Amino acid sequence: MLKIIPSWFIRYKFFNSLFLGLSVGAIFTLYAPLEPSIYSIGGVLLAIGMLIVARFYHTILNAEWFFRISLFVEAVLLLAMFYFLYASYNYQTALLLYIGYQVTFVFGNYLIRAETLLLKTDVLLTKLDTVKQIGYLLGMGLAYLFYKTLTHYGIEDNQTQVYNLHYLLIVVELVVIVLIWKSFRRVV
């Protein structure tokens, strides 16, 4: 049986939110080639996926599944970023990245509910939500500085800027994955 280690878990959520803050602006450039109808289909599939996940709460709302699903979500993001760096920037790349992100969003409600149940106390939940907001704000600030720095050095093309940001995103994502491993301990 796995047990959550709050001190490591809060660090993980900080870097997870840092990643989110860094990447939020890149999404608009990544998805630019997609047709608006794709977002409608994606929204429908996302809602259906969330309904299916909710039907399994009786089985998966525990530390063991929370660890597995958290790791799965982060692995999908890491693979999507490697694919983006490897593949050329086109419609198919944008579509695959959109699908990858939507797959991770399917577990969004589940992850929030599970972390609330596993951390239990209002003190830990306050710390968690505080570090998540700080990480998100810091990530957006760093992204702003990153784009401004590239512009200062003459790299003004949006796609090139977002491509370069992905090297930083991969480093942060690797930290996130390490912190997930440290956030759980097997107990007898």
Side-chain angles (χ1 to χ4, degrees), residues 66 77 101 141 144 150 163 166 172 185:
F66 185 56
L77 289 175
Y101 275 98
Y144 175 81
L150 291 182
Y163 183 87
H166 273 67
V172 174
R185 180 178 40 184

Side-chain angles (χ1 to χ4, degrees), residues 154-166:
I155 303 171
E156 297 180 7
D157 176 61
N158 290 349
Q159 292 177 7
T160 304
Q161 288 184 348
V162 167
Y163 183 87
N164 287 323
L165 180 69
H166 273 67

Side-chain angles (χ1 to χ4, degrees), residues 3 12 26 31 36 39 44 51 54 56 62 68 70 75 81 101 104 113 120 123 127 133 149 151-152 169 173 176:
K3 178 181 177 189
Y12 150 59
Y31 294 169
Y39 300 112
V44 168
L51 285 171
F56 288 95
N62 57 56
R68 291 177 188 165
S70 296
M81 288 185 289
Y101 275 98
T104 66
R113 300 223 185 284
K120 297 180 182 168
V123 172
K127 284 182 184 177
Q133 287 307 311
T149 301
T151 301
H152 177 75
L169 288 173
E173 187 60 34
V176 166

Side-chain angles (χ1 to χ4, degrees), residues 6-183:
S7 59
W8 284 109
F9 184 77
I10 288 172
R11 292 178 187 138
Y12 150 59
K13 293 309 287 189
F14 170 79
F15 278 94
N16 182 262
S17 296
L18 180 73
F19 176 89
L20 180 63
L22 278 167
S23 66
V24 72
I27 297 297
F28 300 106
T29 300
L30 291 173
Y31 294 169
L34 298 179
E35 304 154 10
S37 63
I38 293 295
Y39 300 112
S40 297
I41 293 171
V44 168
L45 295 175
L46 175 64
I48 291 170
M50 292 175 115
L51 285 171
I52 292 170
V53 170
R55 299 294 297 165
F56 288 95
Y57 276 4
H58 63 283
T59 303
I60 62 175
L61 272 177
N62 57 56
E64 189 84 33
W65 278 100
F66 185 56
F67 170 75
R68 291 177 188 165
I69 292 172
S70 296
L71 202 54
F72 170 75
V73 165
E74 301 304 339
V76 168
L77 289 175
L78 186 63
L79 289 175
M81 288 185 289
F82 277 126
Y83 179 75
F84 176 70
L85 291 178
Y86 167 76
S88 60
Y89 187 79
N90 58 36
Y91 185 85
Q92 288 178 325
T93 304
L95 185 60
L96 283 173
L97 290 172
Y98 180 69
I99 291 170
Y101 275 98
Q102 290 297 91
V103 166
T104 66
F105 295 157
V106 163
F107 298 99
N109 282 345
Y110 162 77
L111 293 172
I112 291 170
R113 300 223 185 284
E115 71 187 22
T116 301
L117 289 173
L118 293 172
L119 291 179
K120 297 180 182 168
T121 70
D122 57 350
V123 172
L124 286 175
L125 291 171
T126 298
K127 284 182 184 177
L128 179 68
D129 285 350
T130 301
V131 299
K132 284 167 71 174
Q133 287 307 311
I134 292 170
Y136 186 63
L137 288 169
L138 186 60
M140 288 190 296
L142 286 174
Y144 175 81
L145 293 175
F146 183 85
Y147 293 130
K148 287 297 181 186
T149 301
L150 291 182
T151 301
H152 177 75
Y153 288 104
I155 303 171
E156 297 180 7
D157 176 61
N158 290 349
Q159 292 177 7
T160 304
Q161 288 184 348
V162 167
Y163 183 87
N164 287 323
L165 180 69
H166 273 67
Y167 289 104
L168 178 59
L169 288 173
I170 285 175
V171 170
V172 174
E173 187 60 34
L174 290 172
V175 172
V176 166
I177 290 172
V178 168
L179 290 173
I180 288 174
W181 283 99
K182 294 181 92 51
S183 297

